[in-house]
């Protein structure tokens, strides 16, 4: 459940999407955000991808195998072997080594998660306060302005880590411009606080630095130094 997980081949987020696999889904990757790390959007995409794999293969084991090694690889294995049985493809060596381990692990985890209480699987050791926070339902709030998560959390009097963890797709801890239609994800217990702050048009929800340009300064260097995107510098410095 780590939205910032990244594999050695570049797969990112809790559902490990590769850049070449996000095309059919509502996932954006740009200088502002990497939606592969958006737990809500990436989960919806993963469900659609698994459903599509199932419709093509007619088998959940093959659908899950295709999630790991690619649908094309599975369809070629089926065509070459003449079988749609996962175990048979496994035994005949038509599946990559990683996929042969991935599918049983997936089903084992699903079984443990489904029957955790009945088999006496202990819950994760967390503090009671953390337990209640982690059980929160989540809400999406559309922003009508760009906001800094640290500033918003401070003004709404909520723990900033919730906003950072829930919106891990934001590269700089700053939401994209309002025109992007970005939805901020917040625990429901804090949604009223957030909405109250956002409704106050006098609230300044961005931190600004005044920098005197010196010889040799570049937008790229400034973006790296202040931790913001180049387009944001350009947007707030028109004609510069």
């Amino acid at each position: 459940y780590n939205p910032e997980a990244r594999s050695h081949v570049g797969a990112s987020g809790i559902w490990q999407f590769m850049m070449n696999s996000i095309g059919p889904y509502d996932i954006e990757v740009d200088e502002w955000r990497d939606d592969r790390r958006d737990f809500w959007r990436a989960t919806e995409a993963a469900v659609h991808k698994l459903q599509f794999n199932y419709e093509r293969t007619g088998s959940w084991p093959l659908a899950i195998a295709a999630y790991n090694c690619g649908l094309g690889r599975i369809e070629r294995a089926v065509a070459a072997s003449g079988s749609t049985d996962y175990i048979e493809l496994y035994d005949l060596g038509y599946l990559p080594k990683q996929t042969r381990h991935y599918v049983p692990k997936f089903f084992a985890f699903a079984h443990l998660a489904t029957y955790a209480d009945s088999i006496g699987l202990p819950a994760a050791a967390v503090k009671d306060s953390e337990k209640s926070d982690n059980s929160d339902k989540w809400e999406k709030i559309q922003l009508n302005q760009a906001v800094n998560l640290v500033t918003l959390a401070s003004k709404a009097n909520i723990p900033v880590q919730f906003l950072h963890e829930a919106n891990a797709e934001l590269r700089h801890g700053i939401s994209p411009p309002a025109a992007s239609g970005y939805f901020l994800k917040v625990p429901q217990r804090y949604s009223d606080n957030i909405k109250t702050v956002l409704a106050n048009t006098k609230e300044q929800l961005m931190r600004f630095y005044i920098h005197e340009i010196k010889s040799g300064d570049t937008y790229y260097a400034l973006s790296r130094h202040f931790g913001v995107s180049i387009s944001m510098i350009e947007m707030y410095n028109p004609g510069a």
Side-chain angles (χ1 to χ4, degrees), residues 11-231:
S12 184
I14 61 176
W15 286 100
Q16 292 291 279
F17 274 96
M18 296 284 289
M19 285 296 294
N20 62 5
S21 64
I22 64 175
Y25 310 106
D26 187 24
I27 292 180
E28 298 181 38
V29 178
D30 56 29
E31 63 179 319
W32 296 93
R33 61 209 266 191
D34 184 344
D35 285 342
R36 296 177 299 168
R37 302 190 313 210
D38 182 329
F39 79 86
W40 197 313
R41 190 169 293 201
T43 298
E44 290 177 339
V47 170
H48 288 305
K49 184 174 183 178
L50 284 168
Q51 181 64 40
F52 178 76
N53 288 351
Y54 177 74
E55 291 169 358
R56 290 287 293 267
T57 63
S59 159
W60 279 116
L62 292 187
I64 293 165
Y67 193 98
N68 178 255
C69 67
L71 182 59
R73 179 72 178 268
I74 294 301
E75 290 180 329
R76 289 192 297 273
V78 169
S81 66
S83 174
T84 58
D85 183 83
Y86 169 78
I87 298 299
E88 189 170 352
L89 292 176
Y90 183 110
D91 290 339
L92 293 174
Y94 280 97
L95 301 176
K97 180 179 179 181
Q98 185 187 64
T99 304
R100 294 200 303 269
H101 294 304
Y102 180 85
V103 175
K105 285 181 179 179
F106 187 102
F107 280 109
F109 181 83
H111 180 83
L112 292 174
T114 302
Y115 300 104
D117 290 338
S118 61
I119 64 178
L121 189 68
V126 295
K127 298 176 183 177
D128 289 340
S129 59
E130 292 174 339
K131 200 175 296 183
S132 62
D133 289 337
N134 290 336
S135 64
D136 266 324
K137 292 184 177 180
W138 295 85
E139 183 175 340
K140 292 196 287 188
I141 301 174
Q142 186 168 15
L143 299 181
N144 57 8
Q145 59 177 304
V147 304
N148 180 299
L149 297 187
V150 174
T151 304
L152 177 60
S154 175
K155 291 183 179 294
N157 194 30
I158 66 175
V160 69
Q161 73 264 24
F162 288 127
L163 293 185
H164 278 304
E165 291 172 0
N167 301 277
E169 69 276 10
L170 297 179
R171 294 185 184 276
H172 310 290
I174 299 170
S175 67
S180 70
Y182 181 77
F183 284 85
L184 187 76
K185 299 174 294 301
V186 300
Q188 252 181 15
R189 66 193 337 233
Y190 296 127
S191 64
D192 287 343
N193 300 50
I194 295 288
K195 290 174 182 177
T196 298
V197 173
L198 293 174
N200 185 351
T201 57
K202 295 182 180 180
E203 286 283 13
Q204 179 58 260
L205 300 177
M206 290 283 289
R207 291 180 176 178
F208 288 94
Y209 296 92
I210 305 299
H211 175 78
E212 183 178 349
I213 297 297
K214 301 178 179 62
S215 177
D217 281 346
T218 64
Y219 279 165
Y220 175 76
L222 292 174
S223 73
R224 299 279 293 183
H225 179 74
F226 290 107
V228 298
S229 68
I230 292 175
S231 62

